Amino acid sequence: MTALETLVWTTVCRLDDLAVERGAAALLGADQVALFRLVDGRVLAVQQHDPFSDAYVISRGIVGSRRIDEVDVPTVASPMYKQVFALATGECLDVAGKTPARDLPPNLRSWPVRVRDGLLEVAS
């Protein structure tokens, strides 16, 4: 994103609609987004599309964490083939012996998220 581009914030739900440590799917324009509310109160958003199974299932994944460089990184494991992704960045941390379908990149796209007046907004 360049300095001339501005973020467009879209309200997708109320913060209270999200269960802690569970995923939820939302539409952001034409994009399907997987939202995760963490125990520490943060909400993170990554693409719903799993590049390994080619299915829209990431919000159904298992939330956890990985210790990387002495820091606990929040993660989600795909419910299909169990690849593990960093929720803050979308980086694939474990390909679980698979390659992405259709030569897709292994990492998930991520989106900025904010909460205003109890409403969850995602930027695009």
Side-chain angles (χ1 to χ4, degrees):
M1 180 166 296
T2 68
L4 297 178
E5 292 177 299
T6 58
L7 296 176
V8 175
W9 293 93
T10 302
T11 301
V12 294
C13 65
R14 292 177 307 136
L15 178 61
D16 291 341
D17 291 337
L18 297 178
V20 175
E21 297 266 313
R22 298 287 177 131
L27 279 176
L28 186 64
D31 294 313
Q32 290 188 35
V33 177
L35 305 168
F36 296 91
R37 184 177 181 182
L38 305 179
V39 171
D40 65 10
R42 288 182 294 164
V43 178
L44 300 171
V46 295
Q47 75 187 36
Q48 172 75 333
H49 183 251
D50 176 353
F52 291 85
S53 67
D54 207 17
Y56 291 84
V57 295
I58 294 296
S59 66
R60 308 294 257 163
I62 299 169
V63 176
S65 64
R66 287 269 172 104
R67 190 107 174 129
I68 300 174
D69 297 328
E70 303 302 318
V71 175
D72 287 328
V73 174
T75 62
V76 62
S78 168
M80 300 299 284
Y81 301 129
K82 311 305 182 238
Q83 287 75 24
V84 176
F85 301 93
L87 282 172
T89 64
E91 178 185 1
C92 182
L93 302 175
D94 184 351
V95 298
K98 298 277 186 185
T99 56
R102 300 184 292 116
D103 294 321
L104 293 167
N107 298 330
L108 304 178
R109 180 178 172 195
S110 61
W111 283 264
V113 176
R114 70 181 182 191
V115 178
R116 291 180 50 164
D117 298 325
L119 300 174
L120 183 69
E121 298 178 341
V122 180
S124 57

